[in-house]
Amino acid sequence: MSVIEEKFAKLGVDNAPGQEILQQAVKLELKGENIPGRPVDFSHGDVDAFPPIPGALEEFIAGVKRGAVQAYTEYRGGGESRADVAKKLAAFAGVKICPDSQIIITPGTQGALFLAMGATVGRGDKVAIVQPDYFANRKLTEFFDGEMLPVGLDYMGAKDRAGIDLEQLEGAFKAGAKLFLFSNPNNPAGVVYTATEMLEIASLAKKYDVTVIADELYSRQIYDGRKYTHFCALDVDQDKVITIIGPSKMESVSGYRLGVAFGSPALIDRMEKLQAIVSLRAAGYCQAVLKNWFNEPAGWVEDRIARHQEIRDELLGMFRAVDGVAVRATEAGSYLFPRLPKMSVPLQDFIKILRAQAGVTVTPGTEFGPQFTDSFRLNFSQDRQAAADAIRRVIELIGRYRV
C-alpha cells in the first residue's frame, strides 16, 4: 500500500453519521428473529423530530434574493454576517472578538476543525488528544502527518468532574505536544469540564506554550443548571486559542452546513488561506441563516433543552435497569455512551447485528479511541417514542448476545 493509500485508508467512513454500515463485511451469526419496529439512526440527530431554528428557511430565501452579494462573500464569510456573529459569540463566551481578524465562517464545524488542524499541524508535530473524544480528531492528526499523544478521560469513574487525567496531559506537553485538541462538552461521553479542570488545563497550556483548539459545539445545550466555562475566557494566550462552535446541533441547522471558528488572528488567517483552496467559503446563501442563531424566540432554547432532557432521562432509566450495562448521565449535548456487559460477539459485529435485527444504527466506541471495545455512542435527539422503542430492541439484543 502506498503512503497516500494508507493515509486515506485511515479515514474510513463506514461509521460516520449518515453512512451505511456494510452488512456483508462480516458473516453475522444471528440469534432469533428480527425485532419489528421503526428504524432509528442514532448516529446523528433527527431534524424532523427537532426542526431548525425558526426563520432559518426564510433567511436562506432572503439570502438567495440578495443575489451575488450574498453568494460571493469574502472567503472568511460576509462582513455583515461576521459582525453579527462576532457580537453574539463575544457576549456568549465573555471575550472580545474582532469581526475582521478573529472569526471565520466555515462549511460546518467539521470544516472549521479541518481548517484549524491544517493551520496548526505539520509532519511530525505532536498533538495531545483526549480519549474518548470526537472521532475526527485522531483521523485529522494522522491525515496531517502528526503524532497523537493520548490523554485519558475517566468519564465513568470521576464524580462531579469530567475526569481528564491532568498528569497525562502534562506528560504529553513535556513530551513535546504543541497542540491540545478537545471537545467540551465531550463527544461522545457528554460530560462537561468543571471550572477547576479548565483552569488547570489553561495553566498547563500557558506553562508549556501550547496552542489549544476547543470544540464547544454543544455548549448551549447544558442540563441540570450546570455551569459552563469557556476556555477562551480564561487567563490564556489569545494568540494560541481557537474556539469552534456552530448551530448544527441543538439548533438543528446541520443541513445548511455552517460552522464558526474564532480566536487567534494569525491562525484565522491561515484557516482562510486553506479554505480558499478547499471550498472557497461557506455557502453564501446559507450564511444568511446565521442571523437567526442566538436570536431564537423567547423560551425556544429552554424548551428544546427540556425536551432533550426528558428523552435523556427516559433512556438512562432503561439502560440502568439492565444488569451489567453502565452509563453516565449526559451533562450536555445529546449523546449517551453506554458500556456493554461482556458479549459473545465482538463490538463491530454487534453494531451490525443491531442494524440487521433491530433496525438501529449506533456508532461503535472504537471510533473514539481503540480501547473502547465495549461501548457505543447514540444521539438521542430523536422522536421520543421512536427512541425509546429502539432502545427496547437494543436491550433485547444485548440479552440475546451477552455472555
Side-chain angles (χ1 to χ4, degrees), residues 6-26:
E6 184 177 357
K7 181 190 290 276
F8 279 89
K10 294 178 179 179
L11 297 179
V13 297
D14 285 352
N15 295 309
Q19 295 294 115
E20 294 293 328
I21 301 176
L22 299 178
Q23 297 295 338
Q24 63 267 31
V26 175

Side-chain angles (χ1 to χ4, degrees), residues 5 33 60 95 142 165 195 251 280 307 341 349 368 379 386:
E5 287 173 330
E33 300 296 323
F60 174 80
V95 294
E142 293 173 345
D165 189 325
E251 303 89 341
L280 294 179
R307 289 173 61 196
D349 286 12
F368 310 98
N379 187 323

Side-chain angles (χ1 to χ4, degrees), residues 180-223:
F180 176 48
L181 168 61
F182 75 118
S183 62
N184 181 33
N186 174 266
N187 174 359
V191 293
V192 174
Y193 288 77
T194 64
T196 299
E197 288 175 305
M198 293 292 281
L199 287 167
E200 291 175 335
I201 293 169
S203 177
L204 289 172
K206 193 171 184 179
K207 177 180 178 180
Y208 292 96
D209 194 29
V210 173
T211 297
V212 176
I213 299 175
D215 176 352
E216 298 190 353
L217 186 53
Y218 275 106
S219 55
R220 296 187 76 195
Q221 191 175 340
I222 309 294
Y223 303 122

Side-chain angles (χ1 to χ4, degrees), residues 29-250:
E29 299 293 336
L30 301 179
K31 297 181 180 180
E33 300 296 323
N34 291 354
I35 310 171
R38 170 182 164 183
V40 174
D41 187 345
F42 285 114
S43 70
H44 57 79
D46 182 351
V47 296
D48 293 325
F50 290 98
I53 51 179
L57 177 59
E58 290 74 14
E59 285 301 328
F60 174 80
I61 293 172
V64 173
K65 290 181 177 179
R66 280 195 287 272
V69 68
Q70 185 72 51
Y72 295 98
T73 70
E74 299 98 307
Y75 291 149
R76 66 177 60 195
E80 182 180 338
S81 293
R82 282 187 285 111
D84 174 58
V85 171
K87 181 179 180 180
K88 292 184 290 193
L89 289 179
F92 178 59
V95 294
K96 293 182 179 179
I97 304 173
C98 173
D100 294 325
S101 63
Q102 290 184 294
I103 196 166
I104 183 171
I105 301 170
T106 62
T109 51
Q110 186 78 12
L113 180 59
F114 179 87
L115 299 177
M117 293 292 281
T120 53
V121 181
R123 182 170 298 167
D125 288 345
K126 296 179 180 179
V127 183
I129 292 179
V130 171
Q131 290 189 334
D133 211 327
Y134 184 51
F135 61 82
N137 295 355
R138 168 181 51 83
K139 293 182 179 182
L140 286 172
T141 299
E142 293 173 345
F143 184 79
F144 288 113
D145 294 323
E147 178 185 347
M148 186 185 77
L149 301 182
V151 177
L153 182 74
D154 184 16
Y155 62 96
M156 291 296 286
K159 292 184 179 180
D160 301 320
R161 60 190 183 92
I164 187 171
D165 189 325
L166 292 164
E167 289 186 4
Q168 278 192 10
L169 181 63
E170 183 168 20
F173 292 170
K174 287 180 177 179
K178 289 301 180 183
L179 175 66
F180 176 48
L181 168 61
F182 75 118
S183 62
N184 181 33
N186 174 266
N187 174 359
V191 293
V192 174
Y193 288 77
T194 64
T196 299
E197 288 175 305
M198 293 292 281
L199 287 167
E200 291 175 335
I201 293 169
S203 177
L204 289 172
K206 193 171 184 179
K207 177 180 178 180
Y208 292 96
D209 194 29
V210 173
T211 297
V212 176
I213 299 175
D215 176 352
E216 298 190 353
L217 186 53
Y218 275 106
S219 55
R220 296 187 76 195
Q221 191 175 340
I222 309 294
Y223 303 122
D224 306 313
R226 196 172 307 277
K227 293 184 178 180
Y228 184 86
T229 302
H230 296 276
F231 184 81
C232 61
L234 300 176
D235 180 20
V236 293
D237 184 349
Q238 296 298 325
D239 288 330
K240 289 186 172 293
V241 177
I242 288 291
T243 302
I244 294 173
I245 192 172
S248 65
K249 298 303 181 183
M250 181 194 72

